[in-house]
Amino acid sequence: MEENKLTTGTVTGIIANLVIVEADGPVSQNEICFINLAGVRMMAEVIKVLGNKAYTQVFESTRGLKVGETAEFMGHMLEVTLGPGILSKNFDGLQNNLDTMKGTFLRRGEYTDAFDYDQAWDFTPLAKAGDIVVAGDWLGEVKENWIGHKIMVPFKLEGKFTIKSINGAGTYKASDTIAILTGESDEEVKVTMLQKWPVKIPIKGYVDKPRPFRLMETGVRIIDTMNPMAEGGTGFIPGPFGSGKTVLQHALSKQAEADLIIMAACGERANEVVEIFTEFPELEDPRTGRKLMERTTIIANTSNMPVAAREASVYTAMTIGEYYRAMGLKVLLLADSTSRWAQALREMSNRMEELPGPDAFPMDLPAIISSFYARAGYVNLRNGAAGSITFIGTVSPAGGNLKEPVTESTKKVARCFYALSQQRADSKRYPAVDPIDSYSKYLEYPELQEYLAEHITPGWLDKVLDARNILLRGREVYEQINILGDDGVPIDYHLRYWKSEVIDFVILQQDAFDDIDASTPIERQRKMLIKVLEVCHTDFDFESFEAVNPYFKRIINVFKQMNYSEYESEDFNKYEAELEAIINERKVA
Amino acid sequence: MQTSGFKKIYTKVTQITKATCSIQATGIGYDELATVNGRLAQVVKIQGNIVTLQIFSGTEGIPNNAEVIFTGKPPALHVSDELAGRFFDAYGDPIDGGPDVQGELREIGGPSVNPVRRKQPSELIATGIAGIDLNNTLVTGQKIPFFADPDQPFNQVMAMVALRAKADKIILGGMGLTNDDYLYYKQVFDNAGALDRIISFVNTTENPPVERLLVPDMALTAAEYFAFDKKQTVLVLLTDMTLYADALSIVSNRMDQIPSKDSMPGSLYSDLAKIYEKAVQFPEGGSITIIAVTTLSGGDITHAIPDNTGYITEGQLFLRRDSDIGKVIVDPFRSLSRLKQLVIGTQTRADHPQVMNAAVRLYADAANAKTKLENGFDLTDYDERTLAFAKDYSNDLLAIDVNIDTTAMLDKAWELFGKHFTKAEVGIKQEFVDQYWPKD
Ligand SMILES: Nc1ncnc2c1ncn2[C@@H]1O[C@H](COP(=O)(O)OP(=O)(O)O)[C@@H](O)[C@H]1O
Ligand SMILES: [Mg+2]
C-alpha cells in the first residue's frame, strides 16, 4: 500500500455505529480509519466500499457525532503489535492495554499502547551475520516470564534475506534495532523486537501442518478419557445458558497442558474476566509451580464493550496465538463465546441492509467460521521445532436448540464436539457434557490411538470404546425400564443401567470446585477407568431388582470418596479396600 | 431555522412513520434529544442533511409542519443526594409533586466500567428465602432476574428481597407497571419505613410503551451516582424487562429492521447486556446489584427474551407453583446463581455446596419417581422415600414463605436427609457426614 499520501474523508451518514464517510482518495476494504468527534479520534474499520463512499464500523459509541466531521484513513488494516511483553496482559479486543487506561470507566477514543516500548530485555542471538533467513526464522531470544520468547524475522518480509549484522548478547529496548537484514535487491531492513501484523490474515511461516497426533491433557475426565483433545486440535462447546460452558473453559485454562493460554472473552460477562485476573495471579500451575497468570493473556471484549470490537477480538487473540506458535510453543486458545462474535457480524450486516441468511445471520457466516478454525493446528517450523494452537470455542445457541447457523457451521469444522445438555445440568451432573452425543474425531486417528496406547496403556482405546458402549446400552435399558416399569424388565436390565451409572458418576461427573476432584492427571484417569470397568464386567448376584439400586449407590458413594481423596493416599487406599469388600458381597464366584 | 439560546428549531418535517419523523437539519449530533411539538424524541439516524427522530410517545397527530427543537444533548438526569426518596417518570421528571432535583446533569447510558477496574463480587446477600440463600445464593454486584409467569407473585418476592437486602439505596425501574403494582411498591416501602432509601423511575401501563426504553438507563445513572460517587451499596429493581424488550421490538419493527428470533431485533443481546452489565462491585466499596423480572409466557424460557437474558445475567430465579404443597417455590432445577460459589462454603458453613447439590439431586430422583407414578408403574421403596423427601424439602425449604438463616437451612436439610435416606444414598463427602448426620 502507498503510504505517502493518506486519504481523508467527511462523515455523511450515521446509523448507530455504522458511519458512512465520503473519501477523497483510495480506500481499501478493511482499512482502518479514525473519525473525529469534537477532538476525540475514534477508530473504525471499512467494511464496505461503494464508489467514493466508505461504510465503516466504529469501535466506539457514536453518540454526538455529526455529519461533516472529518476522517483519516490509515492505509493499513487492523493490526496488532507483536513482541515480548504480551504475556500476562489484559487487552481489549483491539489490543489496548486495559491496565494502563485511566479512570474507572472506559473512555471513548482512549487507545493505550500494548507494550512498554522502553522496557529492556536480555537478548541472546540465535543466528549470526551471513545467515540466510526468511520470515518467521528465529534471530534471537529474550526471556519473557519463563518462556524463551523468540525474536523473529518479521512475517511481513517476502523473499530471502541475509543477516548483515546482529547484536551480541546484551540488554536492549524492545524498540532498539537488534539486526540488519539485506534483501535480494540489496535493500536493508532494520529489525527490532516488535513487528505488526494484520489480524484477519493468518501468519504462515511454517513448513507444514500435520494432523494432530498428541493428546492434550486437560485433567477433565470426560474430555481426556472419553473425548480426547489433541494438541493442535479444534473443538467447540455448545450449550444453553447455565449448562457450564464457561466453567468448563475456565477449568481448561487452569489445567490444560499448554505453554500458554489465550482467553478471548468475547461478548460475555465482565465478572467472568474479573474472576480470571483475580484468581490466576494466585493459583498455581501444578505442572510448573508457576502462577497461572504467568502463562495467561486475556483479550477482553465483554458484552457491554463496543460491539464492533467484539468481532476484532477473536482475530486479535488468534494472531497473538499464531505469533507464539511460531516460537515453537504449545498455545491453547479459548473463545467464549463465538456466538457473540457471529451476532456482532449479524448486527452490522443488518444495519447495512444486506440480504440476510438463516436467522438473519450474514450469508457467508459458515465460510467465516471455517476459515477462523482453520488457523488453529500443529505446525512444523523450518528449524525443526514444532508449535501448536489448540482452539476451543463455546457456542451459545438460541433457545439451546443446536439446529441454528452458528452451531451447524461450527460442527462442520471443529473436530471435537462437547455438547452440554440442559438435562444433565438440571440434575447437577457436571460437567454436563452429553456422553452419547459428544465426540472426538481424534479418537479415530491412528496417530493418536498409537500415542494413547504408548502413553497411557496398551489397549486404552478399547477400554474407552467399551465404556462408551456401556453408557449407550445403559441409556437404552433406561428407556426400556421407563416404558415397561421396574418389574416389567429382567434384573439384568437394572444391572446394566446401574453399571452405566457407575461410569457416569465416577468418570463423567467431576466437581470443578473441589480442590482434588477438579483436575485428574492421566495416570489417575487410567486407574479409575480400569477400576470402573472391572465393576462393569463383574457378574453380581441379585434376588430382586429392589436390591440393585441401594447396592450400586454404595459402590458409587465409595468411588466418589476415592475421587475426593488425594491419589493413593491412606484414605484413597482405604476406600479402595472398602470397594473391594462391597464388590465381593455380591460377586458371582 | 431559528436559534433560541443553544437550541435549534426546525419546522419542515419531510417524512412521518409510525414511530419516527425525518427533518432536514444540519449540525445535529447522533443520539441527541429533541422535542417534536413538545413530544420527546431522539436522533436515531442521520443521512446527509436528513435527520430521523424516534418519538417516544408515538407520532399520532404529528403534522408535517411540527415544531422540532433540538436540545443539543443526549438524554440526561440531574444527580445529587436529592434523588433519594423521590418518584420520577421515564424522563426523570418528578411525579410526586416535589421540586425538580438540583445537581449535576449526567448523560444516561454512559460508558461501561473498564473490566480491570472491577472487583470480584464477594458480599453475600441474605434474603432468608432458602430457595435463594441455600440453592442460589446472591452476592452484591450480581445481576439476576426472576423468571416467572405473569400470575406469579414476583413483585411481592422482589419487594421482600429488596427490603431484607440491607442496601443503602433501592432504585426501582418500573416498566409497564400497572398502577396497582406501582402503588403496592410504594406502600410496602412506606410501611417498612424505607421510603427515604427508595428512588423510583416509573413508566406505568398508562404511559406510552416506547418511553420505557429510557427507564433502565435513568435508574442505572442514579445507581452509578450513589454506588460510584458515594460508595454506597445500591440495589436496582427492574420490572418487567420483558415489557422493555417488547418496546425495543416495537421500535425496530417500525424502523423496518430485519427481525431475528421471535420478532426481536438482532441486537437484543447487546441491548440487554448494556443494561445488566451495569451491575458492578467497585474496589472502593460501592456496588450495583440488579434484580430484574422477566415474565415468561407459559413458562417458555426458550423465547428470545428470557433466552438472551439468561445468557447475560448471572443466573435466574425461577418461580413456580408446586401443586403438591400448594405454595410458590423457587424451582431448584431451572434456577441458578452463578456467583454462589464465591461465597458458599466460605462465608457460609463448609458443608453448604455439598448439601445443596445432594438435596437437588435427590429432588431430581423424586421427579423421576413422579414420572413413573404418572405412567402407572409401581414405585420402589427408594422412590417412595424420594417423594416424601421432595414434599418436605419443597415445603420446609423451597417455598418462598420460608424465612430462616443459612445455618438453619443446612441443619434442616441434614434433618431431612436423615429422615428419608441412608448415608450412601445421600453421597456426601465423609467428613461432613461424620459431622452433621443427625444422631438418633
Ligand atoms: N463442573 C461443574 N461443577 C460444578 N458446578 C458447575 C460445573 N459446571 C457448571 N456448574 C454450575 O453451573 C453454573 C453455570 O455454569 P457456566 O459455565 O457459567 O454456564 P454457561 O457458560 O454455559 O452459561 C455455574 O455457575 C456453576 O454453578
Ligand atoms: Mg458462559
Side-chain angles (χ1 to χ4, degrees):
Chain A
M1 268 178 231
E2 285 272 342
E3 299 225 2
N4 36 18
K5 192 192 165 291
L6 291 179
T7 300
T8 60
T10 313
V11 172
T12 62
I14 310 155
I15 311 160
N17 74 325
L18 175 68
V19 171
I20 302 154
V21 179
E22 225 165 76
D24 68 0
V27 265
S28 10
Q29 175 73 346
N30 295 113
E31 185 170 347
I32 291 296
C33 68
F34 282 92
I35 292 172
N36 292 307
L37 191 165
V40 174
R41 293 173 84 229
M42 302 191 298
M43 200 181 193
E45 180 186 12
V46 176
I47 50 173
K48 180 163 113 178
V49 182
L50 233 141
N52 66 345
K53 281 205 175 96
Y55 288 68
T56 69
Q57 58 171 343
V58 182
F59 297 126
E60 304 275 1
S61 153
T62 53
R63 178 178 275 184
L65 184 63
K66 297 176 180 176
V67 299
E69 289 274 20
T70 57
E72 305 144 58
F73 291 83
M74 304 310 292
H76 63 75
M77 295 199 275
L78 179 63
E79 291 180 330
V80 289
T81 309
L82 302 166
I86 291 178
L87 277 189
S88 314
K89 289 250 164 68
N90 303 309
F91 295 117
D92 75 1
L94 305 173
Q95 208 200 12
N96 293 294
N97 188 342
L98 287 168
D99 287 288
T100 53
M101 288 185 180
K102 294 194 189 72
T104 298
F105 294 88
L106 296 170
R107 284 183 307 173
R108 193 154 65 169
E110 180 173 21
Y111 304 115
T112 50
D113 284 336
F115 291 92
D116 175 358
Y117 291 101
D118 291 332
Q119 190 173 346
W121 300 90
D122 285 332
F123 173 80
T124 316
L126 294 173
K128 56 183 187 314
D131 286 358
I132 310 282
V133 291
V134 299
D137 282 352
W138 300 351
L139 295 173
E141 183 178 280
V142 300
K143 273 270 167 288
E144 180 185 18
N145 290 359
W146 50 278
I147 66 159
H149 184 117
K150 305 292 185 293
I151 307 301
M152 294 174 273
V153 176
F155 296 109
K156 277 186 181 170
L157 295 189
E158 284 169 27
K160 286 201 176 83
F161 290 81
T162 309
I163 301 180
K164 182 177 174 210
S165 67
I166 183 161
N167 294 12
T171 306
Y172 306 99
K173 284 194 290 191
S175 50
D176 287 345
T177 299
I178 54 110
I180 297 173
L181 310 180
T182 322
E184 281 160 321
S185 40
D186 277 346
E187 76 281 16
E188 280 195 356
V189 183
K190 287 183 178 150
V191 178
T192 69
M193 295 186 199
L194 303 169
Q195 56 170 315
K196 286 182 187 269
W197 186 261
V199 296
K200 293 207 172 147
I201 295 175
I203 293 179
K204 288 281 168 54
Y206 49 78
V207 182
D208 64 351
K209 216 183 214 184
R211 300 212 307 179
F213 61 94
R214 262 213 300 251
L215 174 73
M216 166 167 267
E217 247 192 89
T218 69
V220 179
R221 296 188 289 262
I222 201 162
I223 295 181
D224 295 356
T225 296
M226 304 303 294
N227 304 287
M229 174 50 73
E231 188 192 323
T234 52
F236 78 118
I237 309 172
F241 63 82
S243 56
K245 298 179 294 295
T246 305
V247 170
L248 185 55
Q249 272 211 340
H250 283 198
L252 297 176
S253 68
K254 287 177 192 161
Q255 299 162 199
E257 186 200 2
D259 295 323
L260 44 120
I261 310 282
I262 300 172
M263 306 269 287
C266 175
E268 295 276 312
R269 304 175 185 86
N271 275 340
E272 294 173 345
V273 184
V274 177
E275 185 178 328
I276 298 173
F277 60 66
T278 308
E279 293 178 0
F280 278 30
E282 307 297 326
L283 293 175
E284 265 179 21
D285 175 354
R287 284 188 194 79
T288 60
R290 291 189 191 85
K291 297 287 183 256
L292 279 177
M293 201 62 212
E294 288 186 49
R295 67 165 195 179
T296 309
T297 302
I298 299 171
I299 313 292
N301 184 273
T302 57
S303 59
N304 54 343
M305 290 163 81
V307 178
R310 204 193 278 170
E311 193 232 331
S313 68
V314 293
Y315 290 99
T316 297
M318 181 59 91
T319 307
I320 292 175
E322 287 171 333
Y323 175 64
Y324 280 98
R325 174 172 68 183
M327 299 176 201
L329 294 168
K330 253 194 259 187
V331 179
L332 173 62
L333 178 62
L334 299 165
D336 188 10
S337 141
T338 60
S339 293
R340 305 297 162 226
W341 159 43
Q343 281 178 349
L345 294 172
R346 174 169 73 185
E347 282 183 32
M348 230 38 226
S349 149
N350 288 183
R351 252 172 232 139
M352 295 207 299
E353 298 174 357
E354 288 175 353
L355 203 61
D359 288 3
F361 281 107
M363 289 297 255
D364 54 352
L365 183 73
I368 295 173
I369 291 179
S370 151
S371 46
F372 187 78
Y373 273 80
R375 290 174 71 168
Y378 186 98
V379 301
N380 288 312
L381 305 174
R382 266 166 45 88
N383 59 9
S388 63
I389 295 175
T390 310
F391 176 60
I392 302 177
T394 65
V395 169
S396 318
N401 180 0
L402 299 189
K403 291 218 168 326
E404 59 90 42
V406 184
T407 313
E408 287 181 332
S409 309
T410 310
K411 203 168 178 181
K412 285 185 196 133
V413 290
R415 310 249 83 195
C416 292
F417 176 57
Y418 303 117
L420 300 188
S421 126
Q422 180 77 61
Q423 214 185 343
R424 286 183 72 82
D426 284 349
S427 51
K428 312 280 177 219
R429 294 185 180 222
Y430 292 120
V433 177
D434 188 306
I436 310 289
D437 294 347
S438 303
Y439 58 75
S440 160
K441 290 269 184 213
Y442 299 117
L443 264 188
E444 296 162 16
Y445 286 24
E447 304 92 311
L448 187 84
Q449 294 173 355
E450 248 168 63
Y451 184 92
L452 295 175
E454 193 179 318
H455 288 85
I456 304 179
T457 188
W460 178 251
L461 178 67
D462 294 334
K463 292 187 176 36
V464 173
L465 297 179
D466 187 21
R468 282 191 81 102
N469 193 34
I470 294 169
L471 285 166
L472 186 60
R473 305 220 307 168
R475 186 175 287 193
E476 285 163 8
V477 294
Y478 181 70
E479 279 157 19
Q480 291 288 311
I481 297 172
N482 274 345
I483 297 167
L484 301 170
D486 285 329
D487 49 4
V489 297
I491 290 185
D492 182 50
Y493 277 40
H494 289 276
L495 278 169
R496 254 195 260 169
Y497 168 64
W498 277 100
K499 284 175 173 175
S500 76
E501 284 286 273
V502 175
I503 299 181
D504 194 326
F505 275 90
V506 182
I507 306 291
L508 307 187
Q509 293 176 45
Q510 189 170 0
D511 188 344
F513 302 114
D514 183 84
D515 287 340
I516 292 169
D517 199 29
S519 178
T520 313
I522 204 75
E523 155 61 18
R524 185 172 177 156
Q525 295 194 33
R526 181 188 63 82
K527 159 111 184 176
M528 294 311 281
L529 183 66
I530 289 174
K531 197 87 215 160
V532 163
L533 285 176
E534 206 179 292
V535 171
C536 292
H537 291 296
T538 302
D539 285 330
F540 293 106
D541 181 36
F542 282 97
E543 54 296 336
S544 80
F545 76 84
E546 268 127 339
V548 177
N549 167 329
Y551 179 73
F552 274 91
K553 283 247 157 99
R554 282 171 61 208
I555 292 194
I556 289 170
N557 184 40
V558 179
F559 261 126
K560 280 181 70 174
Q561 305 298 342
M562 281 172 82
N563 278 346
Y564 284 130
S565 310
E566 204 83 59
Y567 188 47
E568 293 185 331
S569 64
E570 210 174 294
D571 274 350
F572 184 92
N573 296 336
K574 185 189 82 190
Y575 291 123
E576 190 171 2
E578 202 177 310
L579 182 66
E580 289 308 319
I582 300 177
I583 293 171
N584 286 329
E585 285 174 25
R586 289 188 178 267
K587 188 173 176 175
V588 180
Chain B
M1 181 192 91
Q2 302 166 256
T3 12
S4 82
F6 295 110
K7 294 172 177 167
K8 298 190 182 111
I9 303 174
Y10 296 83
T11 48
K12 267 220 192 72
V13 175
T14 54
Q15 195 190 15
I16 306 172
T17 70
K18 274 191 227 150
T20 65
C21 72
S22 302
I23 185 157
Q24 272 196 15
T26 52
I28 304 303
Y30 193 77
D31 261 2
E32 184 172 314
L33 278 189
T35 54
V36 181
N37 268 10
R39 296 185 204 177
L40 208 63
Q42 188 170 15
V43 175
V44 289
K45 185 171 172 178
I46 305 177
Q47 238 160 357
N49 59 359
I50 304 291
V51 176
T52 305
L53 289 154
Q54 162 188 312
I55 304 178
F56 288 106
S57 56
T59 53
E60 292 85 352
I62 293 287
N64 61 1
N65 64 348
E67 186 182 62
V68 180
I69 306 175
F70 288 94
T71 65
K73 289 195 190 75
L77 176 73
H78 286 280
V79 293
S80 74
D81 289 345
E82 290 176 21
L83 285 167
R86 301 293 308 275
F87 289 80
F88 304 94
D89 64 12
Y91 305 113
D93 293 328
I95 51 170
D96 52 8
D100 284 349
V101 169
Q102 303 296 312
E104 184 196 332
L105 189 64
R106 268 197 205 164
E107 289 183 11
I108 66 167
S112 44
V113 175
N114 182 342
V116 303
R117 300 283 183 266
R118 286 170 176 261
K119 184 173 175 266
Q120 189 169 38
S122 59
E123 293 296 317
L124 185 148
I125 300 178
T127 70
I129 302 170
I132 297 177
D133 296 2
L134 178 65
N135 290 339
N136 302 289
T137 324
L138 302 184
V139 183
T140 56
Q142 182 164 12
K143 45 192 177 285
I144 192 164
F146 282 99
F147 279 181
D149 279 332
D151 60 341
Q152 299 295 339
F154 48 81
N155 283 323
Q156 285 83 329
V157 181
M158 203 151 88
M160 200 150 76
V161 169
L163 288 173
R164 290 185 195 163
K166 301 199 185 80
D168 296 326
K169 291 285 177 304
I170 300 169
I171 302 182
L172 174 68
M175 291 154 280
L177 209 58
T178 63
N179 199 47
D180 295 0
D181 285 336
Y182 166 56
L183 294 174
Y184 167 80
Y185 271 107
K186 218 170 158 173
Q187 188 205 336
V188 173
F189 292 147
D190 198 4
N191 289 349
L195 266 190
D196 56 335
R197 291 194 286 138
I198 311 285
I199 301 146
S200 297
F201 296 88
V202 181
N203 154 277
T204 66
T205 41
E206 289 158 26
N207 307 125
V210 177
E211 285 181 9
R212 280 171 211 159
L213 295 178
L214 294 167
V215 169
D217 284 345
M218 284 286 171
L220 290 160
T221 303
E224 270 177 355
Y225 169 74
F226 287 106
F228 181 68
D229 296 40
K230 299 283 158 176
K231 304 185 176 39
Q232 297 187 354
T233 50
V234 180
L235 181 65
V236 177
L237 310 176
L238 298 175
T239 174
D240 166 358
M241 287 300 284
T242 298
L243 297 178
Y244 172 84
D246 285 343
L248 279 178
S249 81
I250 293 173
V251 172
S252 79
N253 219 305
R254 287 179 184 166
M255 289 177 60
D256 295 325
Q257 286 168 3
I258 307 157
S260 70
K261 201 168 167 274
D262 299 316
S263 356
M264 284 292 144
S267 59
L268 180 64
Y269 177 84
S270 303
D271 295 336
L272 292 176
K274 255 200 113 203
I275 294 171
Y276 284 115
E277 280 290 332
K278 289 276 180 190
V280 61
Q281 174 77 54
F282 291 109
E284 297 81 9
S287 67
I288 299 174
T289 308
I290 301 180
I291 300 185
V293 168
T294 300
T295 48
L296 309 176
S297 115
D300 178 15
I301 62 160
T302 62
H303 183 280
I305 301 172
D307 186 50
N308 278 283
T309 304
Y311 276 118
I312 294 162
T313 53
E314 282 145 350
Q316 64 280 338
L317 299 165
F318 199 100
L319 294 184
R320 163 172 83 79
R321 175 160 291 277
D322 182 347
S323 51
D324 290 339
I325 59 159
K327 286 183 186 174
V328 175
I329 62 166
V330 182
D331 188 322
F333 297 146
R334 273 1 213 352
S335 304
L336 169 72
S337 161
R338 293 164 186 267
L339 301 188
K340 62 176 183 276
Q341 48 260 21
L342 298 174
V343 293
I344 62 172
T346 48
Q347 290 181 35
T348 63
R349 219 165 65 187
D351 57 323
H352 188 161
Q354 293 236 339
V355 169
M356 165 188 85
N357 282 330
V360 175
R361 214 163 37 230
L362 294 164
Y363 193 67
D365 284 350
N368 288 340
K370 213 164 162 192
T371 317
K372 261 196 211 173
L373 195 65
E374 280 157 9
N375 294 345
F377 294 122
D378 292 342
L379 296 184
T380 63
D381 164 57
Y382 178 76
D383 291 333
E384 301 279 8
R385 285 184 289 123
T386 56
L387 287 178
F389 164 79
K391 212 162 164 184
D392 282 351
Y393 178 57
S394 195
N395 193 63
D396 299 350
L397 287 170
L398 298 181
I400 54 166
D401 60 1
V402 173
N403 184 10
I404 50 178
D405 71 28
T406 314
T407 306
M409 293 170 195
L410 292 169
D411 290 342
K412 186 77 198 173
W414 282 106
E415 180 195 321
L416 298 181
F417 293 159
K419 179 171 164 197
H420 299 285
F421 301 108
T422 64
K423 292 175 185 172
E425 281 166 343
V426 176
I428 288 180
K429 227 179 187 173
Q430 197 60 43
E431 57 171 291
F432 296 132
V433 175
D434 293 343
Q435 202 174 346
Y436 297 112
W437 194 264
K439 322 259 181 289
D440 35 25

